[in-house]
Structure formats: C-alpha cells, structure tokens
Amino acid sequence: MNRFYRNTLFLIFPISLSVSFIFDPIFHPDSKDYISYHPARSVGYPFFIHILDENLKLVLFFQSFFSLFSVLLFVREIKYFFNFNNYIIVFLSSILVLITTKISLNILTGSLAFSFFLLFMTAIIKSLQKKQDTFLFLALFILFIGVIIRPQLIFLVVSLILTASYIFSKKFKKQTLLIFPLTLLIFFVPNKINLYFNNLFNEVNVPITDTWNQLMILPIFITNEEIIEKSHSKYKNLLINIHQCLVNKGLTKKIAKNNGNNWLHVLEDNSFIIKNCSNVEIKKEFPKNNLTENENVSKELFFDIFLTNLKYDRVNISESYFLKFSSAFINQYYLIIFLFFFLFLINEFLRKNDDRFFFFLQLIFTHLSNLIIILIGAPYLTRFKFYTELTLMLMIFLVIIDYFSKGILKNKDGKK
C-alpha cells in the first residue's frame, strides 16, 4: 500500500472512531425516510444504512471516515496543483475537516454526497495534471455512485463534459471521446436503479415520488386565478383547489406583494408547505389512488401549470425564475458582479491557457449548474448549494492569500 494512503488510514481511523463514540447521530425530519427507505428518496443512502444493519453509530463512523478521507485526498491534490504553501493547506484542511465532521453527524445524504463531490473534484484535478483518461473514467464512476446517493449531484456532469473536452483538445486521444456517450448514462441508469428498487421494496412504479410536486412549487405560487382559468387541463378543478389552498394560507406571490413582503422570502421559507397543498388536494380528489397514480397526476399538473403560465403570463414566470436564481447571489446586482468576474476569468484563460484557470472556469460552470438544478424545484438552502458555493469561495480566498503571501516574500527578498 502507498505510504500516503497507509498514513492517511492510520490518521483518520481513530478520529472517526472517536467521533462515533463521542457524538450521537443528529436526526432531521427526513432522516426516518432514509432509514425506512421512503419511496420519495433515492435508494443509495437507505442502502448504505441497510448494509450497516441500521446501526447509526456505524453510520456515523463511516460517514466521518469517508469525509476525512475525501478531504485529505482533495487537499493533497490542491496543494500540488496550485503549489500552495503549508500554511494555506493547514487552513484549508482545518475548514474542510470541521465542516465535514459536523455534516457527518447528520442522518442525511449530505455527508456522503459531499465526500463524493470532493472525490470527484480530486479526480478532475488529477485528470488536468496528468492529461489521462483514466481519471476521467474514475470521475464518471464516482459521479455515478454519487447520483444514486443524491440525485442533485447530476450537476457535476457539466464539470465532467467540460474537462473531457479540454483534455481532448490537448491530447486528441480517441478513447477520451468515450466519456461523452458514457456520461449520458448518468441521466438514465440511476433512474432505472431507483425505479427497480422502489418497485421491489415500496411497490411504487416511479423512480422517486413527490418529484413533480416539488417542481410545481414556483409555478403554482406565482400564478393567479385568471391564468388557471385559461388552462385546458382535465385537472383544471384540481389546480383551482391547490391554488385556493395556497390562498387560504396566504402563500401566493400576489398576496405576499400586497402585504408588502418580499415574495421570494415567502416562497423560500414556505416551499414545503406549498408543496404539501398539492399532495393534500390530490389525495382529496383521488382518495383511492396509489403513490404511482398520484405521481402521474402531479406530472400532468406541473406541465399544465408551467406551460399555461409560459403561454399566457410569460413575463411573470420568466422574471420569477430569474429573480429566484439571482437570490442565490443575494440579488441580481451581485449576480452581475459575479458574471463580470466570470468573464474576466474566461479572458485570462484564453490569454494564458493555464490548467488552473480552467479549473476555476469549470468550477464556476458547475456552480451555476448546481444553482439551476436547485432553481427548478427547491429552495436555496445552504445544504443544497454549499457543495459548489463553499468550494468556490474557499478556492478564490486561498488564491488571493497565496498571491499576496508570495508578493510579500518577493518584496522581502528584494530588500535583502
């Protein structure tokens, strides 16, 4: 065994063991769904808990172990890739170890998902350093497992495609082209796996339930009675009932604005309550439906409300999605500043054609892709966006520190 890996295992094993003994698992409203494998969850994390015989102390141990292992691998590659000094590396390691250890205490997908995210980025860095296809295929495999654990990680496809294209432009190896059709499987195979296991254990014939109600949160929140009346759906009355449920709770864009509230804050703070209106009204309308049938109803409702808004209230729905997206950057003005920074990096990359500039570019593209995934059907909670947001912020901060620290050292040498 490589000395680095041997030393790493000797270091993190006792730490992980201590974490699992000292701390108790932290439960959240979703935790029980993963332990019992609810049909609204992807199979990866419930399977992980199941193979550990639902021993949550063991779950904490392995989550902590995987977290620390992925951090050490990531930090090691970052050190060599950017040629950071030891002080910067100690700082980076400390931040990541604290964050991942805290996350690993939760009975949620976040810990394993972040570990796979860091492992994926480690493979991407190795592929940029070595210009080898092996690390691209390793990244693909890591992504495949990661998506089964947390489907949100599908946003990493952007990073993989961009990196494969960049490496192909450098080496022109035919085997690099294999990564493109294989990457397409990420969009289908995990879904099929979820469908199989949901059918087997939950007797539900969809990959993950409650997906379409999740997507319907923003369109139903921003719409109004006049738009719904223009719908030609066979579920038009159901849409009216769902919207009335929101009106009764004071949870529509129109009501929020009339009350002088920031409608985005109302939406983000109450997104799961809004989704529940759909669930409740569908159950009232179709009391004998099973989960599969309800999911199909939700699917039709989503497309109907979305397309009706797009046809009759295009400005409102486009503006609403844009403003929600920009809220991930606080507001649209900070989004514009971020985009200018993005353009600056693109210009620098085109001038210098440096692997490190490319790494930042693919990380920004990946961050934007992650935010788009969240935009479609979830609130911009820290636990959804921190994967790319934290990594990007840390990398920018470290590069700035490194730049000034090297400048100070040069000035001292000049004085001597």
Side-chain angles (χ1 to χ4, degrees):
M1 182 186 291
N2 182 293
R3 190 173 72 174
F4 169 78
Y5 292 104
R6 186 173 62 249
N7 292 342
T8 297
L9 292 176
F10 279 127
L11 174 65
I12 65 178
F13 183 86
I15 296 174
S16 303
L17 203 59
S18 300
V19 168
S20 63
F21 273 114
I22 295 171
F23 298 100
D24 290 321
I26 298 174
F27 292 91
H28 299 267
D30 295 344
S31 298
K32 64 181 185 298
D33 291 349
Y34 291 112
I35 295 171
S36 61
Y37 182 29
H38 190 277
R41 307 298 170 189
S42 186
V43 71
Y45 193 59
F47 178 73
F48 170 70
I49 294 174
H50 176 73
I51 60 174
L52 297 177
D53 200 28
E54 296 185 12
N55 185 324
L56 299 184
K57 282 291 186 179
L58 272 180
V59 171
L60 289 197
F61 169 77
F62 280 105
Q63 287 186 170
S64 176
F65 185 89
F66 290 147
S67 295
L68 293 172
F69 182 71
S70 62
V71 165
L72 288 175
L73 288 184
F74 177 73
V75 168
R76 181 185 186 226
E77 294 308 319
I78 285 291
K79 174 181 170 61
Y80 294 120
F81 190 57
F82 285 94
N83 195 26
F84 286 145
N85 62 46
N86 289 333
Y87 295 107
I88 291 177
I89 290 304
V90 168
F91 173 77
L92 174 62
S93 302
S94 302
I95 295 293
L96 288 177
V97 165
L98 285 173
I99 290 172
T100 54
T101 301
K102 182 178 179 181
I103 296 170
S104 68
L105 301 178
N106 299 306
I107 305 301
L108 292 173
T109 58
S111 178
L112 286 186
F114 192 50
S115 297
F116 276 90
F117 171 79
L118 291 178
L119 291 174
F120 175 89
M121 282 299 164
T122 302
I124 289 296
I125 294 169
K126 289 289 286 186
S127 67
L128 290 174
Q129 287 177 312
K130 304 291 186 182
K131 303 295 187 295
Q132 292 179 6
D133 303 314
T134 305
F135 296 104
L136 285 175
F137 289 109
L138 177 60
L140 177 63
F141 175 73
I142 292 168
L143 175 57
F144 178 78
I145 303 298
V147 169
I148 294 174
I149 291 169
R150 190 179 183 92
Q152 180 195 343
L153 292 183
I154 196 77
F155 68 80
L156 288 173
V157 164
V158 172
S159 173
L160 188 60
I161 293 295
L162 286 173
T163 306
S165 302
Y166 178 68
I167 290 174
F168 180 73
S169 72
K170 296 283 187 180
K171 291 289 186 178
F172 296 103
K173 291 183 180 178
K174 289 183 180 178
Q175 57 264 39
T176 306
L177 294 174
L178 280 173
I179 204 74
F180 299 105
L182 288 175
T183 300
L184 292 176
L185 296 176
I186 297 292
F187 292 96
F188 304 106
V189 177
N191 251 359
K192 293 296 182 183
I193 291 172
N194 278 318
L195 176 61
Y196 174 78
F197 283 103
N198 225 353
N199 204 343
L200 181 66
F201 292 108
N202 296 317
E203 297 181 352
V204 175
N205 200 31
V206 292
I208 298 173
T209 60
D210 223 21
T211 299
W212 298 102
N213 282 338
Q214 189 86 15
L215 299 182
M216 196 162 61
I217 291 171
L218 187 141
I220 194 68
F221 176 82
I222 67 166
T223 197
N224 55 56
E225 297 86 348
E226 292 78 12
I227 298 300
I228 294 177
E229 284 297 333
K230 295 178 181 179
S231 166
H232 299 292
S233 169
K234 63 182 178 181
Y235 299 123
K236 180 176 175 178
N237 288 336
L238 182 53
L239 279 174
I240 292 172
N241 292 339
I242 294 171
H243 186 262
Q244 188 58 48
C245 174
L246 298 184
V247 170
N248 293 341
K249 295 177 185 292
L251 296 176
T252 69
K253 181 178 180 180
K254 182 178 179 181
I255 293 173
K257 292 178 78 172
N258 288 342
N259 290 339
N261 297 323
N262 184 318
W263 68 268
L264 275 169
H265 292 168
V266 175
L267 172 67
E268 296 287 271
D269 292 342
N270 298 280
S271 60
F272 296 109
I273 298 174
I274 295 168
K275 181 182 73 171
N276 197 47
C277 269
S278 298
N279 280 320
V280 169
E281 294 303 324
I282 290 171
K283 285 178 183 178
K284 282 183 184 177
E285 186 77 15
F286 303 103
K288 295 182 180 180
N289 270 12
N290 57 36
L291 287 175
T292 303
E293 291 166 333
N294 281 348
E295 190 65 12
N296 290 328
V297 172
S298 299
K299 182 178 180 180
E300 289 198 38
L301 286 172
F302 164 72
F303 280 111
D304 182 64
I305 194 67
F306 179 80
L307 294 174
T308 302
N309 271 281
L310 202 59
K311 183 176 181 180
Y312 297 106
D313 204 7
R314 188 176 296 117
V315 173
N316 181 36
I317 192 169
S318 302
E319 179 191 52
S320 297
Y321 273 110
F322 171 74
L323 290 176
K324 184 185 174 184
F325 180 78
S326 64
S327 70
F329 300 86
I330 301 178
N331 58 43
Q332 59 266 40
Y333 305 110
Y334 284 99
L335 171 59
I336 291 170
I337 292 171
F338 180 84
L339 292 177
F340 272 116
F341 170 68
F342 187 24
L343 291 173
F344 165 76
L345 282 180
I346 291 174
N347 180 64
E348 290 299 300
F349 170 68
L350 293 175
R351 283 199 315 114
K352 298 178 181 179
N353 197 22
D354 188 290
D355 290 349
R356 289 168 296 184
F357 276 109
F358 174 79
F359 177 76
F360 267 108
L361 285 178
Q362 67 81 26
L363 191 56
I364 291 174
F365 271 115
T366 305
H367 180 52
L368 293 173
S369 302
N370 185 26
L371 295 182
I372 289 171
I373 294 290
I374 301 169
L375 165 73
I376 294 171
Y380 277 118
L381 300 177
T382 301
R383 66 189 174 100
F384 294 141
K385 61 179 182 168
F386 87 102
Y387 300 95
T388 49
E389 187 173 73
L390 172 68
T391 310
L392 187 56
M393 288 172 63
L394 275 176
M395 292 310 305
I396 292 172
F397 185 58
L398 296 181
V399 167
I400 292 171
I401 293 175
D402 184 60
Y403 174 80
F404 283 108
S405 64
K406 286 176 179 176
I408 290 169
L409 289 174
K410 283 181 182 179
N411 290 335
K412 285 182 177 179
D413 290 340
K415 288 179 181 179
K416 290 179 182 179

